Amino acid sequence: MTIGEMLAATVPMARTLNLEFVETTPEKAVVALPDQGDFHNHVGGPHAGAMFTLGESASGAIVLAAFGDQLSRAVPLAVSAEIAYKKLAMGPVTATATLGRPAADVVAELDAGQRPEFPVDIAIRRGDGAVTGEMTVIWTLRPNG
């Protein structure tokens, strides 16, 4: 099962929005939100809440791709999130997530008995490539036990 399939199977909101996990690697996660009238706002584009969920889902996908091998000893949890809506989004939108710190540094902190925190940066783009939103989700790897 791919990370996208796993998230779609275990995260009801990802299924509800019909998110498409286009690419999921430790370096980048790309998730698409199709244009769906049920999730439009008052101006006919994707609702802000749907775009937030899109970005947060992309951040979760890259966290699982980068730190999936740590799941036996730590649980990834979102700590905080901030989003800025930059331009009007219309039609399908895509979120691209990247880690804000090297994964090796995060794992080194976990190895040292710490609870590391790290940012995931997300750009949300419409079909013409214009950035309609920017988001940062701060994640932690909470050690088990």
Side-chain angles (χ1 to χ4, degrees):
M1 183 180 289
T2 67
I3 290 173
E5 291 168 341
M6 181 181 71
L7 286 171
T10 60
V11 180
M13 195 60 160
R15 282 193 313 276
T16 297
L17 291 176
N18 300 306
L19 297 182
E20 300 168 6
F21 293 84
V22 178
E23 179 181 346
T24 307
T25 70
E27 291 77 35
K28 178 171 70 170
V30 180
V31 181
L33 173 66
D35 187 23
Q36 303 165 86
D38 286 345
F39 305 115
H40 281 176
N41 58 21
H42 62 289
V43 294
H47 188 278
M51 289 193 297
F52 181 95
T53 301
L54 170 68
E56 194 277 339
S57 298
S59 77
I62 197 170
V63 167
L64 287 175
F67 303 108
D69 60 341
Q70 304 299 317
L71 294 180
S72 64
R73 65 182 186 141
V75 176
L77 297 169
V79 174
S80 65
E82 184 176 306
I83 191 166
Y85 301 101
K86 301 290 193 178
K87 292 185 179 187
L88 184 61
M90 298 297 282
V93 289
T94 303
T96 301
T98 55
L99 289 178
R101 289 180 57 201
D105 293 353
V106 175
V107 172
E109 286 183 18
L110 189 62
D111 289 342
Q114 299 173 14
R115 181 176 170 166
E117 289 191 2
F118 54 95
V120 175
D121 299 313
I122 305 105
I124 301 171
R125 290 181 173 82
R126 60 187 184 211
D128 66 2
V131 174
T132 63
E134 295 175 334
M135 183 174 185
T136 300
V137 180
I138 305 297
W139 285 83
T140 188
L141 295 179
R142 185 190 74 197
N144 295 335

